[in-house]
C-alpha cells in the first residue's frame, strides 16, 4: 500500500509539473529556443528532479521540448511545415469523425450526457473570452472537439488527434491574440451541435471544415510577422 501511494504521489507530481510547463510553452511564456533546467523547475516546485525529468520526457515526446544531455532542455521552435501537415491531417480525421457522430447521434445510444457536457463547454468558453484567457479558451476548444468525437469511443483516434494538435496549439494561441475569432468559433460550436443533434451528416461536415479553416487564410501573414518563433 505504501509503495502504491508513493507511485501515485510521483505520478501526480509529474502530471502537475507537465501540465504547468505545457501551458507555459503553449502560451509562449517560454519562448521557442529558450532553455529550461531540471534543477530550476525542481526548486520552483520543491520536488526532486525525478518528476521533473518525467515531465520533460512527456513534453519531448510531444515535440515541445528537445532534451540536450548535460545542458537542460530547449523549447522547440514552431514549424510552419508541421503546422500545415497537422492542419491537413486534423481536417481529414475530424471531418470524418464529426460526420459519423452526426449519423449515430441518439440512434445507437443516449447521448444526452455528451450533449450536456458539450453545451457546458461552450458556456465556459464564453466566460474565458470575457476574461481574455486565451490558454483557457484553447483548452476548452480542444475539450469540446474531444467530447463530440468521444461519442465514437475510438481511443486511438483521440490519441492521434492529440498528437496532431500539438503542432497547431501554439500557433493557434498566437492567432487568437491577433485574429480575435473567439466569438465566431463559439458560434460555430453552437451550429455544430445543432447540426449533429439533427443528424445532418453533410451539414455537420461542411460546418466543421469551414470552422477548421477559419483563419487559415490569415496564417501565412501571422507566421511572417512572428518568423523568429519558427525554425
Amino acid at each position: 500500500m505504501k509503495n502504491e501511494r508513493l507511485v501515485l504521489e510521483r505520478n501526480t507530481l509529474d502530471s502537475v509539473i507537465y501540465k504547468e510547463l505545457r501551458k507555459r510553452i503553449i502560451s509562449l511564456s517560454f519562448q521557442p529556443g529558450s532553455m529550461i533546467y531540471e534543477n530550476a523547475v525542481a526548486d520552483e516546485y520543491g520536488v526532486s528532479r525525478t518528476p521533473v525529468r518525467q515531465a520533460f520526457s512527456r513534453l519531448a515526446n510531444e515535440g515541445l521540448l528537445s532534451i540536450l544531455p548535460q545542458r537542460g532542455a530547449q523549447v522547440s521552435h514552431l514549424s510552419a511545415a508541421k503546422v500545415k501537415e497537422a492542419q491537413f491531417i486534423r481536417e481529414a480525421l475530424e471531418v470524418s469523425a464529426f460526420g459519423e457522430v452526426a449519423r449515430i447521434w441518439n440512434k445507437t445510444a443516449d447521448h444526452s450526457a455528451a450533449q450536456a457536457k458539450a453545451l457546458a463547454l461552450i458556456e465556459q468558453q464564453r466566460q474565458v473570452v470575457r476574461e481574455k484567457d486565451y490558454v483557457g479558451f484553447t483548452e476548452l476548444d480542444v475539450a469540446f472537439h474531444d467530447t463530440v468525437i468521444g461519442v465514437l469511443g475510438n481511443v486511438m483516434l483521440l490519441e492521434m488527434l492529440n498528437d496532431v494538435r500539438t503542432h497547431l496549439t501554439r500557433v493557434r494561441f498566437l492567432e487568437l491574440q491577433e485574429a480575435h475569432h473567439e466569438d465566431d468559433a463559439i458560434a460555430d460550436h453552437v451550429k455544430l451541435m445543432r447540426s449533429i443533434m439533427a443528424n445532418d451528416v453533410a451539414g455537420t461536415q461542411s460546418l466543421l471544415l469551414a470552422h477548421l479553416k477559419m483563419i487559415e487564410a490569415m496564417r501565412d501573414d501571422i507566421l511572417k510577422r512572428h518568423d523568429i518563433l519558427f525554425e
Side-chain angles (χ1 to χ4, degrees), residues 5-6 9 11 14 24 55 62 80 88 117 137 141 145 151 154 172 184 190 199:
R5 186 170 66 252
L6 288 173
E9 289 174 352
N11 286 340
D14 165 25
R24 294 182 193 180
E62 288 189 59
F88 180 87
K117 183 176 180 180
F137 181 87
D141 181 72
H145 285 255
V151 166
N154 191 326
R172 291 192 64 246
D184 290 336
V190 173
N199 298 113

Side-chain angles (χ1 to χ4, degrees), residues 7-22:
V7 169
L8 177 60
E9 289 174 352
R10 188 174 296 117
N11 286 340
T12 301
L13 286 171
D14 165 25
S15 296
V16 168
I17 295 169
Y18 159 78
K19 289 177 182 177
E20 178 58 29
L21 294 180
R22 191 176 192 275

Side-chain angles (χ1 to χ4, degrees), residues 43-133:
D43 289 344
E44 178 182 353
Y45 288 92
V47 300
S48 70
R49 291 172 59 184
T50 299
V52 178
R53 189 176 300 117
Q54 292 169 338
F56 276 24
S57 178
R58 292 175 66 179
L59 291 165
N61 287 337
E62 288 189 59
L64 295 174
L65 281 183
S66 296
I67 307 298
L68 306 178
Q70 310 303 319
R71 293 177 56 194
Q74 185 177 48
V75 178
S76 301
H77 281 84
L78 299 166
S79 167
K82 287 181 179 178
V83 166
K84 290 181 180 180
E85 291 171 1
Q87 177 76 18
F88 180 87
I89 295 169
R90 185 185 181 192
E91 288 176 10
L93 293 177
E94 287 205 24
V95 169
S96 176
F98 267 63
E100 180 62 11
V101 170
R103 187 186 70 80
I104 68 171
W105 189 263
N106 280 336
K107 290 184 176 180
T108 60
D110 178 7
H111 296 126
S112 56
Q115 177 179 327
K117 183 176 180 180
L119 295 177
L121 287 166
I122 291 172
E123 288 305 313
Q124 290 174 48
Q125 281 190 299
R126 291 191 174 110
Q127 177 60 38
V128 297
V129 165
R130 288 192 288 270
E131 298 168 357
K132 296 184 179 180
D133 179 1

Side-chain angles (χ1 to χ4, degrees), residues 195-207:
S195 187
I196 288 169
M197 291 158 61
N199 298 113
D200 183 355
V201 175
T204 297
Q205 291 181 321
S206 178
L207 279 169

Side-chain angles (χ1 to χ4, degrees), residues 125-195:
Q125 281 190 299
R126 291 191 174 110
Q127 177 60 38
V128 297
V129 165
R130 288 192 288 270
E131 298 168 357
K132 296 184 179 180
D133 179 1
Y134 297 114
V135 174
F137 181 87
T138 302
E139 292 174 343
L140 290 168
D141 181 72
V142 170
F144 172 82
H145 285 255
D146 281 355
T147 296
V148 174
I149 296 169
V151 166
L152 301 178
N154 191 326
V155 176
M156 184 180 295
L157 174 60
L158 286 171
E159 289 176 346
M160 290 175 66
L161 281 168
N162 183 63
D163 289 341
V164 167
R165 291 189 193 120
T166 298
H167 299 294
L168 291 167
T169 306
R170 285 192 292 171
V171 173
R172 291 192 64 246
F173 178 81
L174 191 63
E175 292 166 344
L176 274 170
Q177 297 178 82
E178 296 208 8
H180 296 292
H181 65 288
E182 308 96 307
D183 290 336
D184 290 336
I186 292 172
D188 283 353
H189 286 175
V190 173
K191 293 174 185 176
L192 281 163
M193 285 307 300
R194 289 174 180 164
S195 187

